[in-house]
């Protein structure tokens, strides 16, 4: 068989989260490459050097840390150290790797060990609570590659002249929407909840569960492992508009195809493109080309399909009753073959129908249940009822919607003075006993002239506080008039007859509500409120905090790109420092980036006498006022930055 040879290149960079004062300069990503597992040296490789594949093969690993710059990088470092310990020369010498099944099982053991090591460190050090990491490992051995992953770090395969495919599958909320048919893969790219992952290392609520696949490799194949800092800013393929016209955007497939002559050039081109497209997270990429190996079969199915189950070596033949050796891997006697084939077809057909029925039923039920559990306000419940009018939670949603409506009506009427507080009865409360009539002496006391005068004076004072043409109403979130004064209880003073709607929403009751409010509103102001209130030591949920911090950065950058007039840019800069301080990001990378974006635009506008900029600044993200913005050159991550 032809000797398999390969070459590779790798790089990790703090990129959009670069911070010279942070550990590893703000880089929470980590990686590990060992081009020869058979020798005693660990972690050695030279970029673009052609290497003969050894008996034990080559290992490539990417880990993306979560939990803040002082903990995310700790989690990814622990994951990589666990990998190196499991692939040390001593341990490798004592372990047998007969086939791909054994290799995949070993990689899954590594993932479980890394998960437990991260959790143990978080228990010992309170500052590391909430940290976690994704991980993806690729083990190239024989003529196969074993992939094992947990989280949303990805593996891709580029096959010249054939195509480009993502061969891993994200453990994320958005991937679940794609699987349920709610959104398309193209819509998943810039989904606002793209940073919510469903599996990771270090999750205190459950053990890490990895997935594994095995693929055959052929001469010319290029595999890439990367963190979502790269796949989150560059689409996989070319993008077209509804009319079928190509959108001029950079994508992973074109970049790899254009630079496949050198893995170093390929790596550098990917990083340069990510930077041009406003990278906002750490970026890690490992690219590996099969230089020499089995030729690609002409009739090979595309896209590539992994083995349904990893191959198993044939067991040793067992002695038969007549003394001859019987190999259990050999086919059965021919006379039984038709019957066995017919039985197998019936079983497979029945199993396929049963699997389809269970999958369609329970995937829909799971999606409905997840949606219902995330409902927090009346709009959420209305949307739920539109999507699942006959769902198992439909009646509960209607009851909750009615309860929220009645509660809001009671509060509004009470605030307007339309309902006396004593008349509002809760369903479970008994009606108050009627008050006994006052005695004649008491009635005389009420008519005392002195007391009557005192009450009239109090009424006059009340009239002085609020003019007769003004009423107190709940503050409205839709009110754009910032000149309205608020009284101590947070009510607008508005002329009678104008529309009355709630300038600010009620404060969140707890951290979880504030967290969901930011995600659902998709507004950088709501995210800043969360970071201000719940980013304090002692209150901070590291996973939620870092997720909201990342989402705030994306939304705020989109807001900066939306500035297209001199008035908007000047207004942005006036409130910028206050927002950065409130979001606890004053002096950070996003602080400097957004300020620079707006100042550059302001300079351009000053040259053009304040007219709108000609630059196309439309973006993937929505601003706080609902405007869709698209960044230059663009065609987002438990929750993760």
């Amino acid at each position: 068989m032809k000797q398999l040879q390969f070459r590779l290149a790798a790089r990790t960079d703090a990129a959009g989260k670069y911070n010279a004062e942070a550990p590893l300069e703000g880089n929470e990503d980590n990686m590990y490459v060992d081009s020869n597992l058979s020798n005693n040296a660990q972690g050695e490789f030279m970029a673009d050097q052609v290497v003969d594949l050894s008996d034990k093969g080559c290992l490539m690993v990417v880990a993306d840390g979560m939990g803040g710059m002082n903990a995310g990088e700790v989690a990814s470092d622990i994951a990589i150290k666990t990998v190196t310990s499991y692939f040390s020369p001593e341990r490798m010498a004592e372990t047998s790797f007969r086939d791909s099944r054994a290799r995949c099982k070993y990689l899954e053991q590594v993932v479980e060990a890394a998960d437990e090591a991260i959790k143990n460190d978080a228990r010992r050090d309170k500052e590391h609570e909430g940290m976690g990491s994704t991980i993806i490992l690729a083990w190239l051995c024989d003529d196969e590659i074993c992939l094992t992953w947990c989280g949303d770090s990805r593996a891709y395969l580029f096959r010249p002249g054939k195509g480009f495919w993502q061969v891993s599958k994200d453990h994320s909320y958005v991937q679940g929407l794609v699987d349920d048919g709610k959104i398309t893969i193209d819509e998943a790219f810039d989904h606002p909840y793209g940073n919510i992952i469903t599996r990771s290392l270090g999750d205190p609520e459950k053990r890490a569960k990895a997935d594994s696949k095995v693929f055959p490799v052929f001469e010319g194949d290029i595999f890439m492992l990367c963190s979502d800092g790269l796949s989150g800013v560059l689409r996989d393929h070319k993008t077209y508009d509804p009319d079928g016209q190509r959108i001029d955007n950079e994508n992973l497939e074109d970049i790899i195809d254009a630079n496949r002559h050198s893995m170093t050039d390929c790596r550098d081109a990917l990083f340069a493109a990510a930077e041009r497209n406003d990278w906002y997270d750490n970026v890690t990429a490992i690219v590996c080309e099969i230089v020499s190996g089995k030729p690609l079969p002409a009739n090979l199915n595309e896209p590539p399909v992994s083995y349904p189950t990893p191959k198993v070596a044939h067991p040793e033949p067992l002695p038969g009753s007549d003394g001859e050796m019987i190999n259990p891997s050999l086919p059965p006697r021919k006379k039984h073959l038709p019957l066995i084939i017919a039985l197998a077809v019936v079983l497979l057909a029945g199993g396929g129908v049963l699997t389809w029925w269970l999958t369609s039923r329970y995937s829909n039920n799971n999606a409905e249940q997840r949606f219902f559990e995330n409902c927090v306000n009346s709009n959420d419940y209305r949307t739920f009822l539109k999507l699942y009018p006959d769902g198992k939670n439909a009646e509960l949603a209607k009851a909750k919607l009615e309860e929220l409506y009645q509660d809001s009506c009671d509060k509004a009427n009470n605030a307007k003075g339309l309902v006396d507080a004593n008349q509002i009865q809760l369903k479970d409360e008994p009606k108050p006993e009627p008050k006994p009539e006052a005695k004649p002496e008491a009635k005389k006391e009420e008519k005392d002239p002195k007391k009557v005068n005192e009450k009239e004076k109090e009424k006059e004072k009340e009239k002085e506080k609020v003019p007769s043409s003004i009423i107190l109403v709940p503050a409205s979130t839709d009110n754009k008039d910032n000149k309205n004064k608020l009284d101590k209880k947070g009510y607008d003073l508005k002329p009678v007859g104008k529309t009355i709607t709630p300038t600010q929403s009620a404060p969140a009751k707890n951290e979880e509500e504030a967290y969901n409010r930011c995600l659902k509103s998709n507004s950088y102001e709501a995210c800043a409120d969360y970071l201000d209130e719940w980013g304090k030591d002692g209150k901070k949920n590291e996973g939620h905090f870092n997720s909201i911090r990342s989402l705030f950065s994306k939304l705020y950058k989109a807001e900066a790109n939306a500035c297209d007039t001199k008035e908007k840019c000047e207004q942005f800069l006036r409130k910028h420092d206050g927002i950065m301080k409130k979001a606890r990001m004053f002096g950070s990378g996003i602080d400097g980036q957004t300020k620079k974006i707006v100042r550059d635009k302001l300079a351009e506008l000053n040259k053009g006498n304040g007219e709108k900029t000609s630059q196309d600044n439309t973006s993937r993200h929505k601003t706080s006022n609902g405007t869709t913005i698209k960044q230059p050159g663009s065609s987002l991550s438990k929750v993760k930055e």
Side-chain angles (χ1 to χ4, degrees), residues 236-417:
D236 295 356
H237 308 282
K238 302 177 181 67
T239 307
Y240 298 87
D241 63 20
D243 297 328
Q245 297 298 315
R246 167 79 186 276
I247 297 174
D248 186 20
N249 69 311
E250 296 182 280
N251 61 84
L252 297 173
E253 181 179 13
D254 287 351
I255 295 170
I256 294 175
D257 189 20
N259 297 276
R260 67 177 188 269
H261 59 277
S262 164
M263 292 299 97
T264 303
D265 291 350
C266 184
R267 175 201 65 191
D268 294 343
L270 289 167
F271 274 72
E275 184 174 10
R276 285 193 297 272
N277 285 272
D278 298 328
W279 56 12
Y280 55 84
D281 198 358
N282 309 144
V283 176
T284 301
I286 303 173
V287 285
C288 176
E289 179 189 18
I290 308 303
V291 177
S292 174
K294 292 193 305 183
L296 184 69
N299 61 344
L300 189 67
N301 291 330
E302 304 292 349
V305 178
S306 64
Y307 298 132
T309 56
K311 293 190 298 186
V312 182
H314 295 308
E316 292 297 324
L318 301 174
S321 58
D322 56 358
E324 75 175 295
M325 301 301 287
I326 300 174
N327 192 331
S329 65
L330 294 177
R333 294 182 180 180
K334 290 184 178 180
K335 66 179 182 180
H336 299 305
L337 194 57
L339 180 61
I340 293 175
I341 292 175
L343 182 61
V345 170
V346 171
L347 290 175
L348 286 173
V353 172
L354 181 61
T355 301
W356 170 82
W357 182 78
L358 290 173
T359 302
S360 61
R361 177 178 178 180
Y362 288 105
S363 63
N364 289 335
N365 288 344
N366 290 339
E368 178 195 339
Q369 187 64 31
R370 288 197 302 270
F371 196 111
F372 181 76
E373 290 173 354
N374 288 327
C375 291
V376 295
N377 55 40
S378 57
N379 287 333
D380 293 343
Y381 287 108
R382 290 192 189 97
T383 304
F384 175 85
L385 289 171
K386 289 180 181 178
L387 293 174
Y388 306 101
D390 300 320
K392 64 179 182 179
N393 292 309
E395 293 302 322
L396 291 175
K398 291 176 183 177
K400 192 65 180 177
L401 190 60
E402 184 178 352
E403 180 184 338
L404 291 170
Y405 177 75
Q406 185 61 44
D407 184 56
S408 63
C409 288
D410 290 345
K411 289 180 180 178
N413 289 335
N414 188 36
K416 297 176 190 177

Side-chain angles (χ1 to χ4, degrees), residues 152 170-177 183 187-198 228 280 371 374 376-377 380 515-523 527 547-548 551 554-555 620-621 636-640:
D152 65 349
D170 296 351
H171 298 139
S172 67
Y173 172 75
V174 171
Q175 182 63 50
L177 297 179
I183 61 174
E187 291 170 336
F189 175 75
D190 53 4
H191 197 281
Y193 296 161
N195 58 341
I196 302 177
I197 61 175
T198 54
D228 70 329
Y280 55 84
F371 196 111
N374 288 327
V376 295
N377 55 40
D380 293 343
Y515 169 72
N516 287 322
R517 181 177 295 178
C518 170
L519 291 182
K520 291 181 181 297
S521 67
N522 204 32
S523 159
C527 294
S547 299
I548 298 303
L551 180 58
K554 298 168 188 174
L555 295 173
R620 303 184 314 257
H621 312 299
L636 150 63
S637 349
K638 162 160 205 154
V639 180
K640 185 172 78 70

Side-chain angles (χ1 to χ4, degrees), residues 602-610:
L602 194 57
E604 181 184 348
L605 289 164
N606 286 331
K607 291 179 182 179
N609 297 323

